[in-house]
Amino acid sequence: MRVELHLPDKVWAEALDVAEKNYTTVARVIEAAIKDALRPSTMARLEAQARRNHVLQAWGEGLTDAAIAERTGELKQYVSDTRRHAGLPPNRVGQPPRTSHERNRA
């Protein structure tokens, strides 16, 4: 398969430097970087970040932990742990979503 990449000059220079130091091609350096990024551990980390972001986005919309758990399919305990780890207070039923200023004060 042929893929065209548009890389910033600095990134290209770094890839070329790595290739020259390892007596290989830039294509192989990029292939190795892609394979490294797609390793199961890397993918698991990306998926965990996506889960966390989904929960925090729903919190920002003013949803309660229970409503977030229902919307995302996560356990309520995971939702509350994620919110607490982010230093956020629980949203209450009937409360409007917090503004960014209110979130920073909370």
Side-chain angles (χ1 to χ4, degrees):
M1 175 184 286
R2 186 174 202 83
V3 177
E4 183 176 322
L5 295 174
H6 297 276
L7 300 172
D9 290 343
K10 183 177 178 180
V11 174
W12 175 258
E14 290 172 6
L16 181 59
D17 187 49
V18 169
E20 289 174 347
K21 287 179 180 175
N22 291 285
Y23 305 100
T24 190
T25 65
V26 171
R28 290 200 181 221
V29 169
I30 292 172
E31 179 184 356
I34 291 170
K35 284 180 178 178
D36 185 51
L38 296 177
R39 284 188 178 149
S41 61
T42 303
M43 293 305 293
R45 200 168 32 253
L46 291 173
E47 289 168 358
Q49 288 172 348
R51 287 176 61 202
R52 179 182 179 276
N53 291 342
H54 197 197
V55 166
L56 297 178
Q57 180 181 3
W59 178 89
E61 293 172 14
L63 298 178
T64 64
D65 289 355
I68 294 169
E70 186 176 322
R71 177 194 278 185
T72 62
E74 300 290 353
L75 296 174
K76 187 177 173 196
Q77 186 64 47
Y78 173 80
V79 172
S80 61
D81 288 348
T82 299
R83 176 187 44 73
R84 278 196 295 274
H85 188 265
L88 301 172
N91 287 323
R92 304 281 180 224
V93 175
Q95 271 187 329
R98 298 170 189 256
T99 63
S100 60
H101 177 69
E102 290 171 329
R103 283 185 220 138
N104 291 337
R105 289 190 335 195

